[in-house]
Amino acid sequence: MRFTARMFTTMAVVALFTPTLFLAAQDSTSAAQAAAPARAAGRSYVSYPRVELFLGYSYLRGVPTLSPGNRMDSLNGGSANVAFNLNRTLGIVADVGGFNASEIQLTGAGANPARVSDASGTAFTFMVGPRLSYRKYERITPFAQVLVGGIHASAVTLSNCTGALCTPLPSENSLALTAGAGVDLKLTRRVALRLVQAEYMMTDFANLSTGDRQTQNDIRLSSGLVFGFGGVPPLLPVAYSCSVTPASGYPGDPITVTGAAMNLNPKKSPSYIWTSTGGTISGTSNTANIATTTAAPGTYTVTGHVTESAKPGRAADCTAQFTVNAFQPPTIGCSANPSSVNPGDSSAITASATSPQNRPLTYSYSSTAGSVSGTSSTATLATAGASPGPIAVTCNVVDDKGNTASAMTSVGVIAPAPPPAAVAPMASSLCSVNFERDTKRPTRVDNEAKACLDDIALALQRSSDARLSLVGNEDAKEQAADAKAAKSHHAKPGPAAQRAINTKDYLVTEKGIDASRIMVYTGADDAQTVTTSLVPAGAVNPAASGTVVDESAVKAVPRTALRHND
C-alpha cells in the first residue's frame, strides 16, 4: 500500500476536525448522563470516560538497525490522540504526532564507515484505529491498539553545510502503521497518567538508491497525561433493605415482608430468595408472605437475598424482624340494675367483655343465692326464695382459645319492713283555772273558771279511759305563810290543796265525772292556779313528781255553799 497526497490530505482533515468531534462527544455524553442517571448508576462494571485526550512525549527510533530508506533514526517529539470509547472495551483513536531530527547517519560512498552528522528535519504522523481497554480495575487500565495512517517527513538538511549535497534526504510521505499497548494510572476522576505506551511502528519510505519502497521497522515510546470527559459514574454496589408489615401480630395473622433493592441494572432480571426463622415464608419476588398459624410466640428474623449476577457487588442481603405475640385473655366488667331489689324481684346483669384479638367470646353466670339465667352479654338474676342480704353474681367469659376472665357484682335483697310500732300515748295539757280574781276567796271556783272546767269535762267524757291530773299552786306570799305555820307546828293544808280539791269537787258534783278518774297534787309554781293534764291510759302522768293531796284532810267547799256567800 502506497501513501499518496490524497491520503495525506484525508488524514489532515481528520486531525483538523478532531477537536470538533471531541466537543460534540463531550456534550452528548453530558446530556446522556443528565437524562438517565439511574441507568448509569445501575452499571455493573468499572466506570470509564466517554472521551479521552492524551497529551505527552514520544520517542521514535528505528530497530534493530537502520534498514534501507529508514529515516527514523532517533527522533524526539510529542503526540496527542483522542479516544472515543464506544463502550467499556472498544474505542476509536485519532492520533497525531510531531517529531524533530537533530542528526542524520550517513552511509555509503564517502561515509564508510557510517558517520553521524548534525542535521535538522521533522516528521509528522496522522493515524486512526481501534483500541481495546481492559477496565476491570478502578485505577489501572491496560489497553492495546492498532493505528494506521501516514507519516510526512520533511527534507533533512545537514548543519553548517551549503550546496546541493547538504540535503541528503528529500521531503517524503509514507504509510505508517503502529501496533502496541500501554497502561494508564488514574490520578483523579478526570486525570490519569499514561505510564508507558510502547508500539511497533512500520513505514515504507523509498530506498533513494533504487527508488523502491521498502518496509522499515521502528518503535514508538510515549508517556504523558490523559484527560477524561463524560462517561459513566463510579460503580455503586447493589444495596438491599427490607421491612415487615405489620411488625407484630398474633398466631394466624398474615405478615408481609417487602424488599427494596437499589443500584440494579434495569436491563437484567434479579432473583430473590427469602428465609425466616419462624412461620412459613413464600415468595420469589421482592415481596413475600409469612404464615404464622403454627408459629409459637416469639421474635423471628426474616432474611432476603437479591442477586443480579455473579460479579462482585451485584448481590446483597437484608434482614428484618417480626414478633408473634401470645394471645391475650379477654377482659370483662359486670354490673347489676337495679343493685337493690325487694324479695322476689329480679335484677338485670350486664357483662361488658372485650377480646384484644377480637376472638369469639362465650358467656356464663353464677350467683351465691337465687338463680341467674343467660348465655349472652346480659342475664337475669331471680331472687325468689333468697334471704335478705347481698347476693354475689359472677360474670364469666371464655374465648375460643380457652382464655378466661371473670368479674363480680352484688345485688342486695332488701329485708321486709317491720310493722309500725304502737305509738305510746302522751299526756296533754288542758286549760288552767285561775284563782286570782277573788282576793277575799282565793280558793273559790268562780264562774269564769266554769268555762274551762266544762271543756275539761267534755275531754274526759270523750276519753273514757283517760284520767285527769289537777295540780294546785300558791303564790310566794301563800308559800311563806305555809312555811311559817309549819315551824309553829300549826300546819294545815294550804290554799294550793284547797284549790285542787274544790276544782275536783266541781267536776264530780257538777259534771258527774267519776272521782277515781281525777288525781290531785300540789305544785311549786308561784301562781294562784290549778293546772290540768289529760292522761290517757298508758301515758306518763306529768304531775307524778308533785305532792299528792291527802283528800281526807282537806274538805271541799261546794260551789253551792259558795253561792250562798256571794
Side-chain angles (χ1 to χ4, degrees):
M1 178 178 180
R2 293 191 176 275
F3 184 77
T4 64
R6 180 173 294 180
M7 294 175 59
F8 176 79
T9 303
T10 302
M11 298 305 300
V13 171
V14 171
L16 178 63
F17 282 96
T18 293
T20 303
L21 295 174
F22 161 71
L23 293 175
Q26 182 178 6
D27 292 341
S28 62
T29 299
S30 300
Q33 283 182 298
R39 180 180 61 187
R43 301 292 179 128
S44 58
Y45 42 78
V46 177
S47 62
Y48 64 93
R50 291 293 185 184
V51 178
E52 294 176 286
L53 172 62
F54 168 74
L55 299 174
Y57 166 80
S58 294
Y59 173 73
L60 277 178
R61 180 176 177 83
V63 292
T65 58
L66 292 177
S67 57
N70 195 348
R71 304 169 59 117
M72 305 294 106
D73 183 12
S74 180
L75 283 72
N76 294 287
S79 61
N81 61 58
V82 176
F84 297 88
N85 295 314
L86 304 179
N87 53 45
R88 61 189 295 261
T89 302
L90 178 62
I92 301 298
V93 180
D95 181 277
V96 295
F99 306 91
N100 180 59
S102 58
E103 57 184 23
I104 186 173
Q105 183 173 324
L106 301 174
T107 61
N112 191 11
R115 178 167 60 89
V116 176
S117 300
D118 294 336
S120 61
T122 58
F124 298 93
T125 59
F126 307 90
M127 294 177 288
V128 294
R131 173 186 291 174
L132 298 177
S133 300
Y134 184 65
R135 302 185 187 277
K136 180 179 180 180
Y137 309 104
E138 184 65 31
R139 297 195 62 190
I140 297 178
T141 304
F143 65 89
Q145 64 185 25
V146 175
L147 306 179
V148 62
I151 183 171
H152 169 71
S154 66
V156 177
T157 302
L158 296 174
S159 302
N160 302 318
C161 179
T162 60
L165 296 179
C166 291
T167 305
L169 294 176
S171 175
E172 192 176 1
N173 297 320
S174 170
L175 169 71
L177 182 146
T178 64
V183 176
D184 291 341
L185 173 64
K186 188 175 181 180
L187 302 179
T188 67
R189 183 185 173 197
R190 298 294 185 183
V191 180
L193 173 63
R194 182 153 295 173
L195 299 175
V196 65
Q197 177 179 320
E199 300 167 279
Y200 162 75
M201 183 174 183
M202 183 191 74
T203 59
D204 67 343
F205 288 109
N207 187 331
L208 297 182
S209 300
T210 63
D212 296 331
R213 289 187 176 274
Q214 296 179 330
T215 299
Q216 296 90 38
N217 299 316
D218 308 290
I219 185 171
R220 181 171 73 160
L221 301 176
S222 302
S223 181
L225 295 178
V226 181
F227 301 92
F229 301 90
V232 180
L235 170 69
L236 294 177
V238 173
Y240 198 32
S241 62
C242 51
S243 60
V244 174
T245 305
S248 63
Y250 297 93
D253 290 348
I255 293 179
T256 301
V257 57
T258 303
M262 296 182 292
N263 306 325
L264 291 175
N265 188 344
K267 296 181 179 180
K268 295 186 178 182
S269 298
S271 61
Y272 298 88
I273 298 176
W274 295 98
T275 59
S276 178
T277 58
T280 303
I281 190 167
S282 59
T284 56
S285 66
N286 65 324
T287 301
N289 297 316
I290 304 174
T292 60
T293 303
T294 60
T299 299
Y300 302 98
T301 299
V302 57
T303 301
H305 179 79
V306 59
T307 302
E308 184 180 81
S309 68
K311 296 180 181 180
R314 309 323 298 162
D317 294 329
C318 70
T319 60
Q321 289 187 328
F322 66 93
T323 300
V324 177
N325 300 310
F327 283 113
Q328 298 179 13
T331 59
I332 188 173
C334 194
S335 62
N337 184 29
S339 58
S340 297
V341 297
N342 294 317
D345 292 347
S346 61
S347 176
I349 307 301
T350 301
S352 301
T354 58
S355 169
Q357 301 83 45
N358 296 320
R359 309 303 304 181
L361 301 175
T362 302
Y363 297 86
S364 62
Y365 302 87
S366 62
S367 62
T368 56
S371 61
V372 61
S373 59
T375 57
S376 65
S377 60
T378 58
T380 300
L381 172 68
T383 62
S387 302
I391 298 177
V393 179
T394 303
C395 302
N396 306 296
V397 67
V398 58
D399 63 18
D400 60 340
K401 298 298 181 180
N403 298 308
T404 63
S406 299
M408 295 184 65
T409 188
S410 178
V411 177
V413 178
I414 302 172
V423 179
M426 297 182 63
S428 58
S429 296
L430 301 178
C431 58
S432 179
V433 182
N434 193 316
F435 292 86
E436 295 177 351
R437 289 178 294 274
D438 192 348
T439 57
K440 292 182 180 181
R441 291 169 291 183
T443 62
R444 173 177 173 269
V445 178
D446 59 16
N447 291 331
E448 291 186 9
K450 179 177 177 295
C452 172
L453 295 176
D454 290 345
D455 291 338
I456 292 174
L458 289 175
L460 288 171
Q461 291 170 359
R462 288 193 294 266
S463 302
S464 59
D465 60 345
R467 301 180 69 189
L468 179 66
S469 173
L470 300 177
V471 179
N473 297 293
E474 299 175 345
D475 62 13
K477 184 178 180 180
E478 291 171 334
Q479 292 178 14
D482 288 345
K484 184 177 180 182
K487 290 181 180 181
S488 62
H489 303 289
H490 295 289
K492 60 180 181 179
Q498 189 64 57
R499 290 171 183 142
I501 291 297
N502 290 344
T503 301
K504 179 178 179 181
D505 180 70
Y506 175 81
L507 293 172
V508 173
T509 58
E510 296 290 334
K511 295 298 180 181
I513 303 301
D514 186 354
S516 62
R517 296 179 62 190
I518 302 174
M519 302 170 289
V520 291
Y521 301 89
T522 58
D525 292 348
D526 181 11
Q528 294 177 347
T529 59
V530 172
T531 57
T532 64
S533 298
L534 184 65
V535 183
V540 177
N541 183 6
S545 61
T547 302
V548 179
V549 176
D550 184 2
E551 296 185 42
S552 62
V554 181
K555 184 177 180 181
V557 179
R559 178 174 174 74
T560 55
L562 292 175
R563 288 197 189 107
H564 291 235
N565 296 323
D566 288 346

